[in-house]
Amino acid sequence: MKKHIILLTISVIYALSITAQNQNLSVSSLSGQSVESILQQHLAGDGVLITGCDCPNVFSDPAKFNNQTGNVTYPQIGSFNRNGFTNFPFVSGLVMTSGNVSVAAGPNNSSSASASVSPYYTETALSQYTTNTVTSSASLEFDFIAMADEFAFNYIFGSEEYCEYVNSSYNDVFAFILTGIDPVTYTTTTKNVAIVPGTVSTPVTINNVNHGYHSSSSSGPGTDPSNSQYFIHNSSTNGVQYDGYTTALAAQAIIFACQPYHMKLAVANVGDVAYDSGVFLEEGSFYSPHVQIDTVWELPHAGDTLIQNCRELDLKFSVERPALTSTTSIIINTGGNAVFGSDYTLTKPNGVEISPEDNSFYFPEGDTVQYAHVKMLPTAHFPAGVTTKTAELYIVTQGCTSFSDLEPHFRYIDTIILHLRANDTIVLVDTSFTKCNELEFMEVRQERGTPTLTYQWTPETGITDPTSLATGCHITESGTYQMIATDRWHCLADTATVEVTIVPKPEFTVTYTPDHGCMPLPVTLQTQYTPTYANLFWTISNDTAYNFTSTDATIHTTLPVPGYYDISLLVESAPGCSDSITYPNVIHVSDFPHADFVFSPAEPSNGEEVFFYNLSTGENITNYAWSFGDGHSSFVEEPSHTYHLTESDMMTVHLTVTNSDGCSNDTMQIVPVEDNFAFYTPNSFTPNNDGKNDIFLPKVRDVVNYEFLIYTRTGELIFATNNPEQGWDGNVKDKPAPEGVYVWKITYAKIGTPEEMMAKTGTITLLR
């Protein structure tokens, strides 16, 4: 849809900030061109007629520059273009200066913008806005008529007198002077419309818009700034010549529509002809807002489609302020392949249907809004294969219709294209989902409906994309969901019900006891699980052909053969919703070991060390328990033992072997132990080194704690030993002892009764 919409700016349009661009405004003099063509080419905008328009019998007075009609002879007006100086608000337009227009262009160099015109023109109308003498001036004046009851144009005022001459008598002046009937007082008035935003009548001047007083060429803020938010200090060397200028401002006023008004735009030096000033006027910005057209749907959703028996719209026609007189008319013509009157109708604001013969209406005095209603008829016909038709509305708005000379110039056409569509059918299919623990995807099947439907899941909890037929989701609880499909205009809808069943994934624990033992091994397996209705599947197996299954929560069974057994449990809460666990080699059933041993010597003597050799067989034997028959025991694999008996005896030796699973076996053997105690001492010896009877050695066997002593007849100890195998060689201190009788003493204990000490004494005769 194409709309002619112009909005009036009442306050500051936008502010300007300066950054280094290294680009400058370009200015071209318009000297030699006609005043009226300058106005039409560079200032006239929409909704207004300005002197010089192609409208005979509308304006009686010609346009003037410096009070002259025809072609411009003064070099104080020109056109400008910002080129690369993009920080300047206006792309192009008119510029008027108090001196030669060429000085307005940048860069802002050290030389002042002063180019006096001789002889110069003096605009006396500006004298009322200054207390000093008005000198070199530029003045552009013309008549205009506006379609609406207001007008506006955009401007920027700049001066080389910034900032040194702020609050001085050298204060260049400018004004936009409007003359015509005031819509409040109904009298002809003259007023300046170039005023500071937010004020009633404060004119825009150097003293009124600045960033402070300066006594020198200082670039920083001065003292006593005035309305500095509308001022830009031109500190850079590019852009324009002027040291300062205003932000983009708007001159505007409320007037009577369709009535002639006079406008004078003027700028002048004050006090002297030095330090020029200028006014920049944005190209085409002199305008008056006309009727604005909007579409207002009965169902407020974006689009341009009428739906049969559902979706209708209003065409809204609005003006900025209440119409003062019935000067604006609306004409609606139709086109397109939709048949006006059969497929759709148009109704005026008064409720009367529009017809080809009666297709216009007026804005009554005091109204700001009018509506025309568009409705698709139930009788609208769509041939086979045709789903939509097009209705084209050509809307003509006319202002100042009571002035026949003005009407052709205030005529605007908008084209609105609407699409007509019959009601469709939307069909969604109910569905259901059953999932284990969590549902991660849902989709609803659509059997009928346009491809531009909107979709909505409800509730949205857990839905990844609540506006899609197919969506990811995170749903962990059973519930009912709805998918609502709606056409883009909210005329038609269908709802599918989606039942979601979430089956909890089973959870369980497993215990088994014992986890090892001897064959056959009784075992108990048990599980605790949720949900309680779940099915159980046990399996116990080993690497042989053994395989046991059960569905009970508690199992008592016996594992018959040795080896490692696996346990598996599958818990299923619903088909496809299960969990399982396998414990490999978790129970070990052991065979019994075989105990066996031998010993050496075969017939040990009392006190002789006996060695036992383990010959047991079986896997993982870890414990050996020996009992030697005399109250003594051992737990090493191959021990040794010495018997201490009081007499010969047959000793029963037991061996018990146990493997890592606690399986035991024992055996026994008889060990014959001989008690060989003996004691004999000779009564003489001949230590003459002939190899015969040279040593006095008592013969003792199976004794402990042995001590052998020899004394002289006078009681002197001459020999001592604890070794039963050591005898006396007949020497005393390495010298032969004399022949004679010597006394011996032996103390000992029998090996079987080591706690009972015994002593014997006697004599020995030493012969040489």
Side-chain angles (χ1 to χ4, degrees):
M1 175 171 55
K2 172 176 172 290
K3 296 182 181 178
H4 294 283
I5 302 173
I6 298 178
L7 300 178
L8 178 63
T9 303
I10 302 300
S11 61
V12 178
I13 296 177
Y14 50 85
L16 176 66
S17 64
I18 296 297
T19 59
Q21 300 290 331
N22 295 322
Q23 297 291 337
N24 303 294
L25 221 63
S26 65
V27 175
S28 299
S29 173
L30 295 176
S31 179
Q33 297 188 26
S34 71
V35 180
E36 293 181 345
S37 66
I38 291 173
L39 289 171
Q40 295 303 319
Q41 293 176 22
H42 298 289
L43 189 60
D46 208 3
V48 296
L49 295 178
I50 296 180
T51 305
C53 65
D54 184 16
C55 41
N57 305 318
V58 174
F59 300 108
S60 57
D61 295 329
K64 300 176 183 179
F65 184 74
N66 286 357
N67 206 31
Q68 293 180 349
T69 61
N71 292 340
V72 173
T73 60
Y74 288 86
Q76 293 169 275
I77 187 168
S79 63
F80 71 87
N81 191 291
R82 70 183 180 188
N83 294 324
F85 183 41
T86 56
N87 282 334
F88 199 72
F90 302 154
V91 175
S92 59
L94 278 179
V95 56
M96 293 195 313
T97 63
S98 59
N100 194 306
V101 73
S102 63
V103 302
N108 181 22
N109 51 40
S110 59
S111 61
S112 63
S114 178
S116 61
V117 178
S118 180
Y120 58 77
Y121 170 75
T122 301
E123 178 53 63
T124 58
L126 292 177
S127 299
Q128 60 181 310
Y129 302 108
T130 180
T131 59
N132 207 339
T133 303
V134 174
T135 59
S136 176
S137 305
S139 174
L140 178 65
E141 54 186 309
F142 54 88
D143 292 336
F144 73 93
I145 294 175
M147 177 180 177
D149 57 354
E150 57 188 338
F151 78 95
F153 61 93
N154 303 323
Y155 71 94
I156 293 172
F157 171 67
S159 177
E160 191 69 0
E161 290 190 350
Y162 283 119
C163 295
E164 298 89 335
Y165 296 98
V166 170
N167 295 331
S168 74
S169 60
Y170 296 99
N171 198 282
D172 288 355
V173 67
F174 83 104
F176 301 152
I177 303 169
L178 174 69
T179 302
I181 300 175
D182 188 298
V184 177
T185 64
Y186 284 79
T187 61
T188 300
T189 60
T190 297
K191 62 180 178 180
N192 178 21
V193 295
I195 61 174
V196 176
T199 69
V200 176
S201 59
T202 302
V204 175
T205 65
I206 292 174
N207 284 349
N208 290 339
V209 179
N210 56 70
H211 74 338
Y213 168 74
H214 284 271
S215 60
S216 67
S217 59
S218 171
S219 62
T223 60
D224 301 324
S226 178
N227 296 304
S228 59
Q229 68 271 32
Y230 306 121
F231 176 75
I232 296 170
H233 180 251
N234 188 17
S235 59
S236 64
T237 60
N238 57 358
V240 298
Q241 170 64 54
Y242 300 130
D243 287 349
Y245 48 91
T246 68
T247 61
L249 302 175
Q252 67 273 319
I254 298 174
I255 57 175
F256 277 115
C258 306
Q259 294 294 321
Y261 285 81
H262 185 75
M263 174 62 69
K264 178 177 287 189
L265 311 176
V267 60
N269 281 326
V270 173
D272 56 20
V273 294
Y275 297 98
D276 293 343
S277 298
V279 175
F280 298 89
L281 306 174
E282 185 177 19
E283 184 135 339
S285 67
F286 198 99
Y287 71 99
S288 177
H290 61 85
V291 176
Q292 178 175 322
I293 303 173
D294 287 317
T295 53
V296 182
W297 293 96
E298 181 180 298
L299 295 172
H301 297 281
D304 54 6
T305 303
L306 292 170
I307 304 297
Q308 196 171 28
N309 298 322
C310 172
R311 182 172 163 83
E312 304 173 6
L313 68 82
D314 282 319
L315 296 176
K316 179 182 178 182
F317 305 91
S318 58
V319 292
E320 290 290 323
R321 287 182 168 77
L324 299 177
T325 59
S326 299
T327 57
T328 302
S329 67
I330 309 297
I331 302 171
I332 303 179
N333 297 313
T334 63
N337 65 351
V339 181
F340 175 63
S342 297
D343 292 332
Y344 69 100
T345 60
L346 288 162
T347 305
K348 295 181 180 181
N350 59 6
V352 177
E353 287 190 2
I354 291 177
S355 67
E357 297 78 21
D358 183 14
N359 62 342
S360 64
F361 58 90
Y362 288 86
F363 264 85
E365 183 177 346
D367 283 357
T368 59
V369 177
Q370 291 286 287
Y371 292 92
H373 189 68
V374 186
K375 180 179 180 180
M376 186 176 172
L377 295 173
T379 57
H381 174 66
F382 294 88
V386 178
T387 58
T388 61
K389 290 184 175 182
T390 300
E392 297 181 2
L393 306 180
Y394 312 114
I395 300 171
V396 181
T397 60
Q398 298 186 125
C400 304
T401 55
S402 59
F403 297 84
S404 59
D405 291 335
L406 299 179
E407 183 176 346
H409 302 280
F410 290 144
R411 184 181 180 93
Y412 299 91
I413 298 178
D414 286 84
T415 299
I416 298 176
I417 299 177
L418 301 174
H419 299 281
L420 279 60
R421 187 182 185 91
N423 278 351
D424 199 357
T425 302
I426 303 173
V427 177
L428 301 180
V429 180
D430 293 344
T431 188
S432 63
F433 297 94
T434 299
K435 283 294 179 178
C436 178
N437 230 35
E438 181 180 25
L439 179 63
E440 297 180 340
F441 180 80
M442 288 198 302
E443 183 175 12
V444 171
R445 183 166 60 89
Q446 176 181 316
E447 290 189 344
R448 293 194 62 185
T450 65
T452 56
L453 301 180
T454 59
Y455 304 99
Q456 181 62 52
W457 287 94
T458 180
E460 295 185 10
T461 305
I463 305 297
T464 303
D465 183 0
T467 61
S468 176
L469 274 175
T471 176
C473 55
H474 300 282
I475 299 175
T476 57
E477 295 182 0
S478 299
T480 300
Y481 289 77
Q482 289 185 330
M483 160 51 66
I484 303 171
T486 309
D487 68 10
R488 61 187 294 188
W489 310 281
H490 284 212
C491 288
L492 303 171
D494 191 31
T495 300
T497 299
V498 179
E499 295 292 343
V500 176
T501 302
I502 301 298
V503 178
K505 187 175 182 179
E507 296 182 359
F508 57 90
T509 60
V510 173
T511 58
Y512 45 86
T513 183
D515 62 359
H516 64 278
C518 306
M519 71 172 206
L521 179 65
V523 294
T524 298
L525 280 64
Q526 191 171 24
T527 182
Q528 293 183 343
Y529 61 96
T530 59
T532 56
Y533 55 80
N535 296 317
L536 308 177
F537 303 93
W538 290 96
T539 300
I540 306 174
S541 61
N542 66 1
D543 54 3
T544 67
Y546 181 84
N547 196 63
F548 174 84
T549 60
S550 177
T551 57
D552 297 331
T554 301
I555 300 172
H556 301 286
T557 188
T558 299
L559 306 181
V561 296
Y564 286 93
Y565 287 79
D566 300 337
I567 297 175
S568 296
L569 175 61
L570 170 67
V571 183
E572 185 179 64
S573 55
C577 190
S578 63
D579 197 7
S580 64
I581 192 169
T582 297
Y583 299 93
N585 298 328
V586 73
I587 297 179
H588 184 249
V589 177
S590 180
D591 199 354
F592 289 91
H594 175 72
D596 191 16
F597 68 92
V598 295
F599 59 90
S600 179
E603 295 180 354
S605 298
N606 195 16
E608 183 180 12
E609 186 175 14
V610 182
F611 296 93
F612 295 89
Y613 301 98
N614 175 50
L615 301 178
S616 301
T617 58
E619 293 183 354
N620 302 321
I621 298 176
T622 57
N623 295 308
Y624 301 87
W626 297 85
S627 175
F628 298 116
D630 60 353
H632 291 84
S633 61
S634 176
F635 297 96
V636 299
E637 183 176 356
E638 293 186 331
S640 64
H641 182 64
T642 302
Y643 288 94
H644 300 280
L645 305 179
T646 58
E647 58 185 9
S648 298
D649 200 352
M650 305 294 289
M651 306 305 296
T652 302
V653 177
H654 286 268
L655 169 62
T656 301
V657 293
T658 306
N659 62 20
S660 57
D661 289 320
C663 304
S664 300
N665 184 244
D666 59 9
T667 186
M668 60 170 288
Q669 293 192 46
I670 301 300
V671 179
V673 180
E674 292 292 333
D675 183 11
N676 295 320
F677 174 76
F679 192 100
Y680 165 74
T681 59
N683 54 14
S684 65
F685 75 112
T686 59
N688 54 10
N689 296 320
D690 61 358
K692 297 179 181 179
N693 199 21
D694 289 329
I695 302 298
F696 172 40
L697 177 63
K699 301 295 183 181
V700 293
R701 295 173 60 183
D702 292 346
V703 296
V704 294
N705 300 324
Y706 172 80
E707 186 178 44
F708 173 31
L709 306 174
I710 297 178
Y711 299 88
T712 64
R713 296 286 297 268
T714 59
E716 179 186 0
L717 178 63
I718 59 174
F719 177 79
T721 184
N722 295 111
N723 186 355
E725 302 299 326
Q726 183 181 6
W728 182 40
D729 61 0
N731 293 325
V732 178
K733 297 180 181 180
D734 296 328
K735 293 181 179 182
E739 290 184 345
V741 177
Y742 293 85
V743 178
W744 57 265
K745 181 179 180 181
I746 298 175
T747 59
Y748 64 94
K750 294 178 68 175
I751 197 168
T753 56
E755 69 281 359
E756 296 180 11
M757 295 300 296
M758 303 179 70
K760 288 186 178 185
T761 60
T763 61
I764 183 67
T765 301
L766 187 155
L767 300 174
R768 291 196 183 272

